[in-house]
Every structure is written in structure tokens, then in C-alpha cells.
Amino acid sequence: MNTIVSTSGSRSPQKFSILRSQFQNCYQELRSLASNKLRYEHQAYTLDTSALVHEVYLKMDQQKKMIENKGQFMAIAAIVMRRYLVDYARQKQRIKRGGNYIQLTQGALNHVVLTTPEQVIELDESLKRLKHFNPRLSRVVEFHFFGGYKHEEIAEMLEVSIDTVRRDWRLAKAWLSKELKN
């Protein structure tokens, strides 16, 4: 799909219908992504797959960026989903119920990582520091860890080679490992 979607911030009927069309075309993939994120979410009575997908839609509707194709749409959706989950983790941390875990997918959908809200926030802060160091490394981590995308898909989204993504992933993992140990 090579549809150009304008999310210029104006609330024109055309903008709404184009974004809605793109959203509908990707809805099942977004639900699958959200479902995998929430599969092992404990005590998340207020957040379910549909709620997460619809929150992503509402946030993307406020974007002022051009979305050129389905790959870019899904990449932006993964980033928006990450940000929403981080905000959700912060909310859970404030509640301080203890024992609340958030499920994140690292790469393959069958490799699930359970994390606490504090760990999600710590990872988010580390990713922000990594973004200042190297924005592409940060995107590779977001797409792979939070989005569950394979290296091939990330390479296509970032318009780089698969080997570049693999190198970036190794470097980012090493950098984050050092950051998170400190």
C-alpha cells in the first residue's frame, strides 16, 4: 500500500477519511500487536487490546506528520503504543499496588518479557538517552522490543540494510545493558 496519508493537524473531512482508511487497513495488525503487548498484563482491568488500539488511533489523529505508506504507519503506531504503555506504567507506578507486571515482546512474538512499571520507565529513560546518542539505534530498539518487528521489517521501515539493523541491534543492546546496570 503506497497511500499517502496527511496528518497535518487540520480536522478536515478528507484528512479524517484518509487516516480512518489507513487505520482500518491496518486494524487487525494493530490488534495483534496490542494483544501481544497485553497478553501477560496482570491486573490491567482498564486496558485491553481494543482500548490500546483506539488510544493509538486517537494519538495518531493528533500527529502533524506525513504518513507515506503502511510500513511507516505501523512504525509510527508502534512508537505511539510504546509511549502509551510507558504512560500507563507511570500511572500504575503512582498507584503503587505492587506486583503489577507489564508484558513486552522482544523481537519474536514467542519471546515474552515481563517487566514492572518501574523497569518500563527506566527503559524509556534509557531509550531517550540513546536517542540523543544515536536516533536510529533508538528506533531499532523501539521497533524490535516494543513493536515486535523482525530485523527484515525494521530494515524496510528505516530504509537500511538488514545487516545494518543487526549491527544497530547488537550495539543498542550493549549500550542499554551498560546503561541499565548503572
Side-chain angles (χ1 to χ4, degrees), residues 23 70 107 131 143 149 157 162 171 174:
F23 183 76
K70 182 180 177 183
K131 189 173 184 176
F143 296 156
Y149 291 105
M157 286 187 271
I162 295 170
L171 181 58

Side-chain angles (χ1 to χ4, degrees), residues 27-28 33-34 38 47-48 53 71 78 81-82 87 91 98 103-104 121 127 129 131 143 153 158 163 173 176 181:
Y27 189 77
Q28 288 306 318
L33 182 62
L38 299 173
L47 183 62
D48 63 12
V53 170
M81 199 172 290
R82 169 194 157 225
D87 288 343
Q91 178 186 3
Q103 177 265 332
L104 298 174
I121 292 167
L127 278 174
R129 289 190 296 273
K131 189 173 184 176
F143 296 156
E153 296 168 315
L158 296 177
D163 289 336
K173 280 194 318 186
L176 285 170
K181 284 181 184 176

Side-chain angles (χ1 to χ4, degrees), residues 58-104:
L58 292 173
K59 298 287 185 193
M60 289 180 74
D61 187 41
Q62 298 169 1
Q63 297 278 325
K64 294 183 178 182
K65 296 183 180 183
M66 292 293 289
I67 300 175
E68 297 177 6
N69 56 44
K70 182 180 177 183
Q72 188 179 28
F73 181 89
M74 291 301 295
I76 291 171
I79 292 167
V80 171
M81 199 172 290
R82 169 194 157 225
R83 290 177 181 161
Y84 186 82
L85 288 171
V86 168
D87 288 343
Y88 185 75
R90 285 189 178 116
Q91 178 186 3
K92 282 183 123 179
Q93 186 181 35
R94 280 191 295 268
I95 295 170
K96 299 221 182 216
R97 292 184 183 161
N100 293 327
Y101 286 91
I102 297 172
Q103 177 265 332
L104 298 174

Side-chain angles (χ1 to χ4, degrees), residues 7-79:
T7 58
S8 62
S10 68
R11 302 293 251 180
S12 70
Q14 181 184 12
K15 181 232 174 200
F16 176 76
S17 65
I18 293 172
L19 180 64
R20 183 175 180 208
S21 172
Q22 188 79 339
F23 183 76
Q24 287 174 334
N25 289 336
C26 299
Y27 189 77
Q28 288 306 318
E29 283 182 68
L30 289 170
R31 279 190 56 82
S32 176
L33 182 62
S35 176
N36 286 318
K37 297 286 162 243
L38 299 173
R39 181 173 292 143
Y40 298 100
E41 176 72 26
H42 298 292
Q43 299 177 7
Y45 302 120
T46 60
L47 183 62
D48 63 12
T49 301
S50 294
L52 182 54
V53 170
H54 294 138
E55 285 294 332
V56 167
Y57 174 76
L58 292 173
K59 298 287 185 193
M60 289 180 74
D61 187 41
Q62 298 169 1
Q63 297 278 325
K64 294 183 178 182
K65 296 183 180 183
M66 292 293 289
I67 300 175
E68 297 177 6
N69 56 44
K70 182 180 177 183
Q72 188 179 28
F73 181 89
M74 291 301 295
I76 291 171
I79 292 167

